[in-house]
Amino acid sequence: MEQVKLLQDLNAAFVELGAGRGMLSLALAQMFPESLYVLIDRAHTRGKADRFIGGEGKDEEDAKVNSTTLRAKIDIRHLNFAGMPEILDKPVVCMSKHLCGVATDLSLRAIAQTIPETNSVKASAGKSKLACVSSRFQGLAIALCCHHVCAWKDYVNPAFFQAHGFKAEEFKLLTSMTSWTTCGMGLEGDAVEHILGIRSVMTRYIC
């Protein structure tokens, strides 16, 4: 995040998507304790780090009154940044260290469609078309995972696959293949042939 200059504006709202306990925000808050941290997760999580974020050097009462942490218990599918008044006057930086499959697509869609544009940009644009992403949005840092749970109906760029000759019904097969590099199933023995029945095809492309 530092290399791509996402940590330059301390007035930014750092939004952790699929936050869980909020440990990524907690780590970042060690560097920027006064910034606003918005934690998004649909699950009820035990052992949350919320009260420690930005609370270093503050007593418990002061930490509650001057909290720099906001948690929203909501499915990312229903996330609407425009409904969060706390971030409307701030630059927005989104981040996640574990955002499963379709949640990444849903996050990208929420960023593109629901972060409101600043009034000054709206005024200067006039009747011309505004950019697809708000100028308030500063950037995104996500560690991707669980590609096998991506879904065609939510995927943000189906045109890419269609341009390469793939159809919607083949998307599930493609996503299931993404785990091959980490599942430990090598080409030796008959595992590939037994499970997938494509040993001859694999051999043809490898040799």
Side-chain angles (χ1 to χ4, degrees):
M1 293 177 70
E2 187 174 20
Q3 289 180 350
V4 293
K5 301 180 180 180
L6 294 182
L7 304 179
Q8 292 187 332
D9 192 341
L10 301 186
N11 186 49
F14 293 97
V15 181
E16 184 176 356
L17 300 157
R21 295 171 60 198
M23 301 306 289
L24 179 57
S25 292
L26 177 62
L28 196 58
Q30 308 306 306
M31 300 171 59
F32 310 111
E34 301 303 321
S35 296
L36 174 65
Y37 296 90
V38 182
L39 283 61
I40 308 294
D41 203 289
R42 66 181 181 179
H44 175 73
T45 305
R46 292 183 177 182
K48 295 188 289 288
D50 302 30
R51 65 191 181 95
F52 299 107
I53 297 174
E56 187 174 352
K58 300 178 182 178
D59 58 37
E60 186 173 347
E61 190 61 32
D62 186 34
K64 289 181 180 179
V65 174
N66 300 300
S67 175
T68 58
T69 308
L70 169 68
R71 178 177 285 269
K73 185 180 177 183
I74 186 173
D75 193 311
I76 294 176
R77 182 180 298 279
H78 307 299
L79 178 59
N80 180 5
F81 286 100
M84 297 180 177
E86 296 86 353
I87 71 170
L88 294 184
D89 62 341
K90 294 178 176 291
V92 176
V93 175
C94 293
M95 58 186 183
S96 179
K97 62 180 176 63
H98 188 91
L99 201 58
C100 288
V102 68
T104 297
D105 295 298
L106 297 175
S107 296
L108 293 173
R109 187 167 285 111
I111 289 168
Q113 297 180 354
T114 71
I115 297 180
E117 189 53 89
T118 62
N119 290 330
S120 59
V121 171
K122 286 181 180 179
S124 61
K127 294 183 179 180
S128 63
K129 188 176 181 180
L130 291 170
C132 62
V133 180
S134 171
S135 62
R136 197 188 303 274
F137 177 62
Q138 300 297 295
L140 173 71
I142 292 181
L144 304 174
C145 72
C146 305
H147 299 88
H148 62 281
V149 293
C150 288
W152 178 261
K153 65 184 180 67
D154 294 309
Y155 191 69
V156 294
N157 191 18
F160 171 81
F161 286 100
Q162 291 171 330
H164 288 79
F166 293 102
K167 300 177 182 178
E169 53 268 27
E170 297 167 325
F171 186 75
K172 188 173 182 179
L173 177 61
L174 290 172
T175 58
S176 69
M177 294 178 183
T178 61
S179 63
W180 288 6
T181 58
T182 57
C183 68
M185 184 174 67
L187 294 178
E188 295 77 15
D190 63 353
V192 174
E193 182 178 16
H194 176 71
I195 297 174
L196 302 171
I198 57 172
R199 182 179 178 85
S200 59
V201 176
M202 296 284 288
T203 304
R204 185 178 66 195
Y205 282 105
I206 292 171
C207 295

